[in-house]
Amino acid sequence: MGLLAAAATAAVSAAAGTLSVNIAYKGAVQRTVWQSTLDEFKKANPDVDIKVAFVEEEAYKVQLPGWLSTQAPDIINWHNGERMAFYASRGLLEDVSEDWKKNGWDASYASTKEASSYQGKQYALPTVYYSWGMFYRKDIFKTAGIAAEPKTWDEFLDACKKLKASGVTPLAVGGRDAWTLAGWFDYLDLRLNGNAFHQQLMAGEIAYTDARVKKVYTAWKTLIDNKYFIDNALSYDLDGAQPFLFQGKAAMMLMGTFIAKGFPAKMAPNMGYFQFPIIDAKVPTAEEGPTESIHIPSKARNKADARRFLAFVGTPAISAKLADGLGSLPANSKSPEPTEPISRIGFQILSNAQGGVAQFYDRDMTKEMADEGMKGMQKFVSDTGKIDEVLNELEQSRKRIYKKS
């Protein structure tokens, strides 16, 4: 039986005493930690029969709307913010506000409550969130004469110049996965214009022809035109781009901490991680901190046991376990701080985000606009001379999608 068929079977077979769970995963490590969590829940709740379907993340995204609108599973994992609100606004997710009160989550999940809410009600239990920053090869930095991790944009550009002079491409990116490009747009916008502006743009309230948006693309253009990114970046997805670091052909990659669990064992000690450099010291420092979550579909058949599962996952110990296994940070503030070095750095980066925490480009805006925006980024990376053309096209999409005159 294929994964998608298994997901459908799991949903259909849900009944009282049977908890049907559909889990999106990327890689064997993520699947293993979720299976272990389900096993622990079963051990603590032997009266519940668990039917789980693991579905690869990209296929999961496609299938989820169908599950939610027909015969839904009892538990799904998904993303907070706009992605959650999309389904909550359509009545497809269960209101779990009472569970928040009953389990004391207002305190332990205070930092992610807003991202878990739609119109003042909660529709999610946050599980983990993760930092975004710059992964780098410590040995390559040393060989190139880079004495310290770049903290400012000038220091970062200088490091890129030294790396290129040493024969190493400064930056790897897997642009075939358009969301990897969105990370670059987000950080350049957050550093140049701040989180308040960024969220207004994400909400469709600012024109893409605004000079401040063009400023973001212009800064990005400098990096591309100086050949600081790997050649043919649009030919590689994330999995295809990572080996450039492992093989010493590239020195840095902007990415979320979740990739750290997949580093080859012999390479992991040589990988460092630092905060995206500050461009304008006057702009309050904001960070990317996408939050993962679990939800009860409104059409779930076994909501009683689904609520038991949420309460189980919402404990500090399970939140910490998931975070460790997923290469992320526990959303529960009562969980112990991570001990793994890169996760600890990520925790510190997010803890000091005085300008706020963004969810991520395709989680902070409607899917339709995000898709258009990321297609535009790929077009721009393919030809940086088309900034104005790309921004004009995005502005037309904004007007159409948000019904702006």
Side-chain angles (χ1 to χ4, degrees):
M1 181 182 292
L3 288 175
L4 298 183
T9 301
V12 170
S13 64
T18 297
L19 185 69
S20 174
V21 183
N22 284 11
I23 296 292
Y25 76 100
K26 181 172 286 190
V29 172
Q30 291 191 5
R31 178 171 178 156
T32 298
V33 71
W34 273 112
Q35 183 62 63
S36 175
T37 301
L38 291 165
D39 291 345
E40 282 194 46
F41 176 75
K42 172 66 176 174
K43 186 175 181 181
N45 300 272
D47 59 314
V48 180
D49 184 23
I50 299 174
K51 301 291 185 183
V52 59
F54 290 101
V55 183
E56 195 279 328
E57 188 170 311
E58 294 307 311
Y60 190 99
K61 292 176 184 177
V62 174
Q63 295 298 312
L64 182 61
W67 300 333
L68 293 179
S69 59
T70 54
Q71 290 193 325
D74 302 310
I75 292 288
I76 60 167
N77 65 330
W78 192 230
H79 316 296
N80 264 6
E82 175 62 33
R83 284 193 175 182
M84 177 209 69
F86 177 85
Y87 292 117
S89 67
R90 288 159 173 78
L92 295 173
L93 297 179
E94 185 79 357
D95 177 359
V96 293
S97 302
E98 288 303 314
D99 298 86
W100 274 69
K101 294 176 184 175
K102 176 182 175 182
N103 297 311
W105 291 341
D106 283 347
S108 51
Y109 291 95
S111 64
T112 49
K113 183 177 181 179
E114 182 178 353
S116 303
S117 305
Y118 173 72
Q119 294 187 343
K121 297 179 179 179
Q122 288 71 59
Y123 292 87
L125 170 69
T127 52
V128 300
Y129 64 111
Y130 52 88
S131 162
W132 270 68
M134 203 71 68
F135 287 91
Y136 74 101
R137 284 278 299 267
K138 297 176 183 177
D139 56 337
I140 294 176
F141 265 42
K142 185 176 181 180
T143 300
I146 303 167
E149 297 169 351
K151 296 187 180 301
T152 68
W153 193 241
D154 285 343
E155 290 173 356
F156 178 73
L157 293 177
D158 183 62
C160 288
K161 187 175 180 180
K162 288 178 178 177
L163 288 163
K164 191 177 178 186
S166 73
V168 177
T169 301
L171 300 160
V173 67
R176 196 169 83 193
D177 286 334
W179 60 269
T180 67
L181 302 177
W184 276 97
F185 176 86
D186 278 0
Y187 261 107
L188 289 169
D189 192 35
L190 291 170
R191 292 292 185 262
L192 286 165
N193 298 314
N195 196 25
F197 174 89
H198 184 69
Q199 294 306 326
Q200 285 182 294
L201 182 67
M202 298 297 100
E205 297 169 5
I206 292 174
Y208 282 83
T209 48
D210 188 293
R212 292 167 293 183
V213 180
K214 185 171 183 178
K215 189 177 179 182
V216 172
Y217 275 86
T218 301
W220 199 355
K221 182 178 188 295
T222 299
L223 299 177
I224 298 171
D225 289 353
N226 282 332
K227 306 289 187 185
Y228 289 160
F229 288 99
I230 57 173
D231 290 337
N232 304 312
L234 298 179
S235 300
Y236 303 97
D237 59 12
L238 173 60
D239 290 339
Q242 287 188 70
F244 281 85
L245 264 70
F246 304 149
Q247 297 165 9
K249 296 176 181 178
M252 294 181 281
M253 174 183 276
L254 175 64
M255 189 46 61
T257 51
F258 61 88
I259 67 167
K261 280 289 178 179
F263 290 160
K266 64 180 181 180
M267 184 59 60
N270 200 28
M271 296 297 296
Y273 182 73
F274 63 89
Q275 180 184 39
F276 194 93
I278 304 301
I279 300 178
D280 184 345
K282 297 188 295 294
V283 175
T285 304
E287 304 294 341
E288 299 269 46
T291 304
E292 307 293 320
S293 45
I294 56 175
H295 311 261
I296 303 173
S298 59
K299 294 188 177 184
R301 296 183 180 187
N302 187 2
K303 294 180 181 178
D305 287 335
R307 292 179 190 278
R308 288 167 70 183
F309 184 72
L310 258 64
F312 176 81
V313 174
T315 59
I318 296 299
S319 184
K321 174 185 173 174
L322 281 171
D324 181 63
L326 298 172
S328 303
L329 305 169
N332 191 315
S333 63
K334 293 181 170 55
S335 298
E337 289 188 20
T339 56
E340 190 275 323
I342 286 176
S343 293
R344 180 173 285 276
I345 295 169
F347 179 83
Q348 293 166 350
I349 289 172
L350 288 171
S351 297
N352 293 314
Q354 297 179 345
V357 175
Q359 284 299 299
F360 197 71
Y361 187 86
D362 63 350
R363 301 187 185 193
D364 277 330
M365 72 164 75
T366 61
K367 182 181 186 302
E368 189 177 4
M369 189 66 226
D371 288 346
E372 292 297 323
M374 291 188 290
K375 282 191 291 186
M377 291 174 201
Q378 289 178 319
K379 182 175 181 177
F380 161 74
V381 169
S382 178
D383 183 352
T384 59
K386 292 184 176 179
I387 288 182
D388 290 330
E389 181 180 329
V390 167
L391 294 179
N392 283 327
E393 289 174 354
L394 291 179
E395 177 56 13
Q396 293 307 309
S397 295
R398 182 188 76 94
K399 289 178 178 179
R400 171 177 56 82
I401 293 167
Y402 294 99
K403 297 178 173 59
K404 303 288 184 179
S405 58

